[in-house]
Coordinates of all heavy atoms in Angstrom, one line a residue:
F404 N 81.9 101.3 18.2 CA 83.0 102.3 18.3 C 83.1 103.1 17.0 O 82.7 102.6 15.9 CB 84.4 101.6 18.7 CG 84.8 100.6 17.7 CD1 85.7 100.9 16.6 CD2 84.4 99.3 17.7 CE1 86.2 100.0 15.7 CE2 84.8 98.3 16.8 CZ 85.7 98.7 15.8
L416 N 92.9 101.0 7.3 CA 92.2 101.0 8.6 C 91.1 100.0 8.7 O 91.0 99.2 9.6 CB 91.7 102.4 9.0 CG 90.8 102.5 10.2 CD1 91.6 102.3 11.5 CD2 90.1 103.8 10.2
A419 N 92.1 96.4 8.6 CA 92.7 96.0 9.9 C 91.6 95.8 11.0 O 91.7 94.9 11.8 CB 93.8 97.0 10.4
I420 N 90.6 96.7 11.0 CA 89.6 96.6 11.9 C 88.8 95.3 11.7 O 88.6 94.5 12.7 CB 88.5 97.8 11.8 CG1 89.1 99.1 12.2 CG2 87.2 97.5 12.5 CD1 89.1 99.5 13.6
Y421 N 88.5 95.0 10.5 CA 87.7 93.7 10.2 C 88.6 92.5 10.7 O 88.1 91.6 11.3 CB 87.2 93.6 8.8 CG 85.8 94.0 8.7 CD1 85.4 95.3 8.4 CD2 84.8 93.0 8.8 CE1 84.0 95.6 8.3 CE2 83.4 93.3 8.8 CZ 83.0 94.6 8.5 OH 81.7 94.9 8.5
D422 N 89.9 92.6 10.3 CA 90.7 91.4 10.6 C 90.9 91.3 12.1 O 90.6 90.2 12.7 CB 92.1 91.6 10.0 CG 92.2 91.3 8.6 OD1 91.1 90.9 8.0 OD2 93.2 91.6 7.9
Q423 N 91.3 92.4 12.8 CA 91.8 92.2 14.2 C 90.6 92.2 15.1 O 90.7 91.5 16.2 CB 92.8 93.4 14.5 CG 94.0 93.2 13.7 CD 95.1 94.2 14.0 OE1 95.2 94.6 15.2 NE2 95.8 94.7 13.0
V424 N 89.6 93.0 14.9 CA 88.4 92.9 15.8 C 87.7 91.6 15.7 O 87.2 91.0 16.7 CB 87.5 94.2 15.6 CG1 86.2 94.1 16.5 CG2 88.3 95.4 15.9
S425 N 87.6 91.1 14.4 CA 86.9 89.8 14.3 C 87.8 88.7 15.0 O 87.2 87.8 15.7 CB 86.8 89.4 12.8 OG 86.1 90.4 12.1
A426 N 89.1 88.8 14.9 CA 89.9 87.8 15.6 C 89.8 88.0 17.1 O 89.7 87.0 17.8 CB 91.4 88.0 15.2
A427 N 89.7 89.2 17.6 CA 89.5 89.4 19.0 C 88.2 88.8 19.5 O 88.1 88.2 20.6 CB 89.6 90.9 19.4
M428 N 87.1 88.9 18.7 CA 85.8 88.4 19.1 C 85.9 86.8 19.1 O 85.4 86.2 20.0 CB 84.7 88.8 18.1 CG 84.3 90.3 18.3 SD 82.8 90.7 17.5 CE 83.3 90.7 15.8
D429 N 86.6 86.3 18.1 CA 86.8 84.8 18.1 C 87.6 84.4 19.4 O 87.2 83.4 20.0 CB 87.6 84.4 16.8 CG 86.7 84.5 15.6 OD1 85.5 84.7 15.7 OD2 87.3 84.4 14.5
R430 N 88.6 85.1 19.7 CA 89.4 84.7 20.9 C 88.6 84.8 22.1 O 88.6 83.9 22.9 CB 90.6 85.7 21.0 CG 91.9 85.2 20.5 CD 93.1 86.1 20.9 NE 92.9 87.5 21.1 CZ 93.0 88.5 20.1 NH1 93.3 88.1 18.9 NH2 92.8 89.7 20.4
A431 N 87.9 85.9 22.3 CA 87.3 86.2 23.6 C 85.9 85.4 23.7 O 85.6 85.0 24.8 CB 87.0 87.7 23.7
L437 N 80.5 91.8 13.0 CA 81.0 93.1 12.9 C 80.4 93.8 11.7 O 80.3 93.2 10.6 CB 82.5 93.1 12.8 CG 83.3 94.4 12.8 CD1 83.1 95.2 14.1 CD2 84.8 94.2 12.5
F455 N 79.7 95.9 17.0 CA 80.1 94.5 17.1 C 79.1 93.8 18.1 O 78.7 94.4 19.1 CB 81.5 94.3 17.5 CG 81.9 95.0 18.8 CD1 81.8 94.3 20.0 CD2 82.4 96.3 18.9 CE1 82.2 94.9 21.2 CE2 82.8 96.9 20.1 CZ 82.7 96.2 21.2
E466 N 85.1 91.5 30.9 CA 86.5 91.1 30.5 C 86.6 90.8 29.0 O 87.5 91.3 28.3 CB 86.8 89.8 31.3 CG 88.2 89.3 31.4 CD 88.1 87.9 32.0 OE1 87.5 87.7 33.1 OE2 88.7 87.0 31.4
Q467 N 85.6 90.1 28.5 CA 85.5 89.8 27.1 C 85.4 91.1 26.3 O 86.0 91.3 25.3 CB 84.4 88.8 26.8 CG 84.6 87.5 27.4 CD 83.3 86.6 27.3 OE1 82.3 87.0 27.8 NE2 83.4 85.5 26.6
W468 N 84.5 91.9 26.7 CA 84.2 93.2 26.1 C 85.5 94.0 26.0 O 85.8 94.6 25.0 CB 83.1 94.0 26.8 CG 83.0 95.4 26.4 CD1 82.3 95.9 25.3 CD2 83.6 96.6 27.0 NE1 82.5 97.2 25.2 CE2 83.3 97.7 26.2 CE3 84.5 96.7 28.1 CZ2 83.7 99.0 26.5 CZ3 84.9 98.0 28.4 CH2 84.5 99.1 27.6
R469 N 86.2 94.0 27.2 CA 87.5 94.8 27.2 C 88.5 94.4 26.2 O 89.1 95.2 25.6 CB 88.1 94.7 28.6 CG 88.3 96.1 29.3 CD 88.7 96.0 30.7 NE 87.6 96.2 31.6 CZ 87.1 95.4 32.5 NH1 87.7 94.2 32.6 NH2 86.1 95.6 33.3
E470 N 88.6 93.1 26.0 CA 89.6 92.6 25.0 C 89.2 93.1 23.6 O 90.1 93.5 22.9 CB 89.6 91.1 25.1 CG 90.5 90.5 24.0 CD 91.0 89.1 24.1 OE1 90.5 88.4 25.1 OE2 91.8 88.6 23.3
I471 N 87.9 93.1 23.3 CA 87.5 93.5 21.9 C 87.7 95.0 21.8 O 88.3 95.5 20.8 CB 86.1 93.1 21.7 CG1 85.9 91.6 21.9 CG2 85.6 93.5 20.3 CD1 84.4 91.1 22.0
K472 N 87.3 95.7 22.8 CA 87.3 97.2 22.8 C 88.8 97.7 22.7 O 89.1 98.6 21.9 CB 86.7 97.7 24.0 CG 86.7 99.2 24.2 CD 85.8 100.0 23.2 CE 85.9 101.5 23.5 NZ 85.2 102.2 22.5
A473 N 89.7 97.0 23.5 CA 91.1 97.4 23.5 C 91.7 97.1 22.1 O 92.5 98.0 21.6 CB 91.8 96.7 24.6
T474 N 91.3 96.0 21.5 CA 91.9 95.7 20.2 C 91.5 96.8 19.2 O 92.3 97.3 18.4 CB 91.4 94.3 19.7 OG1 91.7 93.3 20.7 CG2 91.9 93.9 18.4
A475 N 90.2 97.1 19.2 CA 89.7 98.1 18.3 C 90.4 99.5 18.5 O 90.9 100.1 17.5 CB 88.2 98.3 18.5
S476 N 90.6 99.8 19.8 CA 91.2 101.1 20.1 C 92.7 101.2 19.6 O 93.2 102.2 19.1 CB 91.1 101.4 21.6 OG 89.8 101.4 22.0
E477 N 93.4 100.0 19.8 CA 94.8 100.0 19.4 C 94.9 100.1 17.8 O 95.8 100.7 17.3 CB 95.4 98.6 19.8 CG 95.7 98.6 21.3 CD 96.6 99.7 21.8 OE1 97.5 100.1 21.1 OE2 96.4 100.1 23.0
V478 N 93.9 99.4 17.1 CA 94.0 99.5 15.6 C 93.8 101.0 15.2 O 94.5 101.5 14.4 CB 92.9 98.6 15.0 CG1 92.9 98.8 13.5 CG2 93.1 97.2 15.3
L479 N 92.9 101.7 15.9 CA 92.7 103.1 15.6 C 94.0 103.9 15.8 O 94.3 104.7 14.9 CB 91.5 103.7 16.4 CG 90.2 103.1 16.3 CD1 89.1 103.8 17.2 CD2 89.7 103.2 14.8
M480 N 94.6 103.7 16.9 CA 95.9 104.4 17.2 C 97.0 104.0 16.2 O 97.6 104.9 15.6 CB 96.4 104.0 18.6 CG 95.5 104.6 19.7 SD 95.4 106.4 19.7 CE 93.8 106.7 19.1
D481 N 97.1 102.7 15.9 CA 98.1 102.3 14.9 C 97.9 102.9 13.5 O 98.9 103.1 12.8 CB 98.1 100.7 14.7 CG 98.5 100.0 16.0 OD1 99.1 100.7 16.9 OD2 98.3 98.8 16.0
H482 N 96.7 103.2 13.2 CA 96.4 103.7 11.8 C 96.2 105.3 11.8 O 95.8 105.8 10.9 CB 95.2 103.0 11.2 CG 95.6 101.7 10.7 ND1 95.7 100.6 11.6 CD2 95.9 101.2 9.5 CE1 96.1 99.5 11.0 NE2 96.2 99.8 9.7
I486 N 90.5 108.4 18.4 CA 89.8 107.5 19.3 C 88.3 107.8 19.3 O 87.5 106.9 19.7 CB 90.4 107.5 20.7 CG1 89.9 106.4 21.6 CG2 90.1 108.9 21.4 CD1 90.3 105.0 21.1
E498 N 92.6 106.5 28.2 CA 94.0 105.9 28.0 C 94.5 106.3 26.5 O 95.6 106.7 26.3 CB 93.9 104.4 28.2 CG 95.1 103.7 27.9 CD 94.8 102.1 28.0 OE1 93.8 101.7 28.5 OE2 95.7 101.4 27.4
W499 N 93.6 106.1 25.6 CA 94.0 106.3 24.2 C 94.0 107.8 23.8 O 94.8 108.3 23.1 CB 93.1 105.5 23.2 CG 93.3 104.0 23.4 CD1 94.3 103.3 22.9 CD2 92.5 103.1 24.3 NE1 94.2 102.0 23.3 CE2 93.2 101.9 24.2 CE3 91.4 103.3 25.1 CZ2 92.7 100.7 24.9 CZ3 90.9 102.2 25.7 CH2 91.6 100.9 25.6
R502 N 97.2 109.4 24.7 CA 98.2 109.1 23.7 C 98.0 110.1 22.5 O 98.9 110.7 21.9 CB 98.2 107.7 23.2 CG 99.1 106.8 24.1 CD 98.6 105.4 24.2 NE 98.7 104.7 22.9 CZ 98.3 103.4 22.7 NH1 97.8 102.7 23.7 NH2 98.5 102.9 21.6

Side-chain angles (χ1 to χ4, degrees):
F404 60 93
L416 169 73
I420 292 275
Y421 259 91
D422 283 354
Q423 295 184 37
V424 175
S425 303
M428 288 193 289
D429 288 349
R430 259 192 331 269
L437 182 64
F455 59 91
E466 196 187 307
Q467 294 170 302
W468 169 84
R469 235 172 261 116
E470 175 164 3
I471 302 165
K472 175 73 180 174
T474 302
S476 304
E477 289 299 330
V478 177
L479 297 181
M480 291 299 103
D481 289 350
H482 285 76
I486 192 65
E498 174 187 343
W499 293 280
R502 275 151 67 181

